[in-house]
Amino acid sequence: MTNEREHLVLIGAGHAHVAVLADWIERGLPCARATLLTPHSHLRYSGTVPGWIAGQYARDTGTVDVASLAKRAGVQWVQGMCARIDSEAKRIEMVDGATIEFDYASIDTGGVGRAGRILGNDPRLIDIRPIDAFVEQMAQMNLPPRIAIVGGGAGGVELAFALRNTSGTDTVTLVSGADGLLPDFAGAVRNRVRRALKVQAIRLVECDARIQGGVLSAGDQLLEPVDLIIAALGSAAPDWPRGSGLACDEAGFVAVDRHQRSTSHAHIFAVGDVASRQDLVVPHSGVHAVHSGPILAANLRAVMAGVEPSASYTPRPTNLYLISTGDGSAIGSYGPFSAQGRWVAKLKHWIDKRWLSQYADLAKDV
């Protein structure tokens, strides 16, 4: 039974909100009125971006038509960005000055880039966040011959491999930071990646990078000359949640309980990279955002029916990660186990295609 009085607004169209829209298409709206607020009509799936750079995918292969999903679900799509939430007046203030009244809201906007504050400013520096802006910048440039990628996580590693397999690129340097290469992965995986980097002549520097006086260095190593610096340093929190008076953790991410509900405002939920679970550590990763989607959908349906939310996402001890090496092969990671080969790349392609296809099938009937 739907609540005929309440207006539910989804702010942002991350992986979790896409799953919410799919739930509403299948089961109907949990309320009489719902709105999706997002700056773009499509969600770009970051997992296919390295493949696009390496020439394995078309630019828009990894996109989900969230505007069409919203339409099919009976949700009004509003193009725009949230600048502030007046939680007491229950009003969303947009960047362009427009406002949206709401009764309940859910935030899935993702994080923001932090390259400048960590490395320093430089005209050669671009951040992979937000991903849409990064893709636009990459599409408009002719890749220069000397590129440095700063960030030793899976995203930085995949970008290094992708760029090494792009025509016109002569040298690629991966600056992993003092924590080393893939610090959260098993030793067997790190060893495979190290060997693949060496085979492809990608320089690995395991020191913290910095830009001073227009010069990129790491530790006591000078990394110049460099034509392009790409930062893959993880998400920072946007300023507006804290500016809206929402409870946030020390880094500024929205503090939520085990049900993805704001710890300070019971009528606001948050999920994905913009949120921070207070009951346990859930890393900011696409795999966790995907799994949190159905949980959020269940809890939003519960509160709209006047019932306390009960669903909670608990990360599995191990997750499958597939890292493309840009040459038609990939490295798989599952806990302490690892594998490598073209069959791993085919598995990655199949998983990515399956995830995208489920939403393309829902949107194509609009």
Side-chain angles (χ1 to χ4, degrees), residues 241-309:
R242 177 169 283 164
S244 299
L246 299 178
C248 296
D249 68 7
E250 291 182 357
F253 297 103
V254 181
V256 297
D257 63 15
R258 63 193 302 265
H259 308 303
Q260 305 300 146
R261 201 173 199 174
S262 166
T263 58
S264 60
H265 296 79
H267 59 296
I268 296 175
F269 290 73
V271 69
D273 282 3
V274 76
S276 173
R277 284 274 293 272
Q278 299 302 290
D279 59 309
L280 80 171
V281 176
V282 178
H284 287 161
S285 170
V287 65
H288 299 301
V290 168
H291 290 307
S292 296
I295 300 299
L296 176 65
N299 287 334
L300 291 176
R301 191 169 293 278
V303 296
M304 297 311 293
V307 179
E308 283 298 305

Side-chain angles (χ1 to χ4, degrees), residues 23-204:
D23 175 79
W24 291 354
I25 291 172
E26 178 183 357
R27 302 178 60 195
L29 288 177
C31 55
R33 185 184 174 204
T35 297
L36 172 66
L37 172 65
T38 180
H40 305 289
S41 62
H42 288 68
L43 162 69
R44 183 170 296 280
Y45 177 54
S46 61
T48 59
V49 172
W52 164 65
I53 291 174
Q56 299 166 354
Y57 294 117
R59 172 180 172 178
D60 293 331
T61 295
T63 58
V64 177
D65 188 346
V66 293
S68 291
L69 289 178
K71 183 177 180 180
R72 187 166 181 199
V75 175
Q76 180 187 15
W77 174 58
V78 175
Q79 187 170 19
M81 292 181 64
C82 178
R84 181 178 178 273
I85 296 178
D86 186 335
S87 55
E88 302 307 319
K90 294 186 176 180
R91 183 173 57 246
I92 297 166
E93 300 171 2
M94 297 162 57
V95 171
D96 64 3
T99 61
I100 301 175
E101 307 291 332
F102 72 95
D103 295 292
Y104 284 85
S106 178
I107 307 168
D108 186 17
T109 58
V112 298
R114 53 178 185 163
R117 74 177 73 170
I118 291 180
L119 299 176
N121 295 319
D122 191 287
R124 300 169 295 172
L125 177 64
I126 62 174
D127 202 308
I128 66 169
R129 288 176 173 80
I131 192 68
D132 291 284
F134 173 69
V135 169
E136 186 64 28
Q137 287 176 295
M138 294 293 285
Q140 292 180 0
M141 73 168 65
N142 293 319
L143 286 177
R146 300 165 297 194
I147 302 176
I149 298 94
V150 181
V157 168
E158 276 204 314
L159 278 175
F161 283 126
L163 289 162
R164 190 68 184 92
N165 287 275
T166 302
S167 61
T169 302
D170 293 335
T171 62
V172 174
T173 300
L174 176 62
V175 188
S176 70
D179 290 337
L181 182 70
L182 297 171
D184 298 326
F185 286 73
V189 178
R190 294 197 299 270
N191 289 337
R192 287 186 185 273
V193 171
R194 285 181 188 278
R195 287 195 293 268
L197 291 171
K198 187 174 182 179
V199 166
Q200 295 197 34
I202 298 173
R203 179 186 180 188
L204 175 63

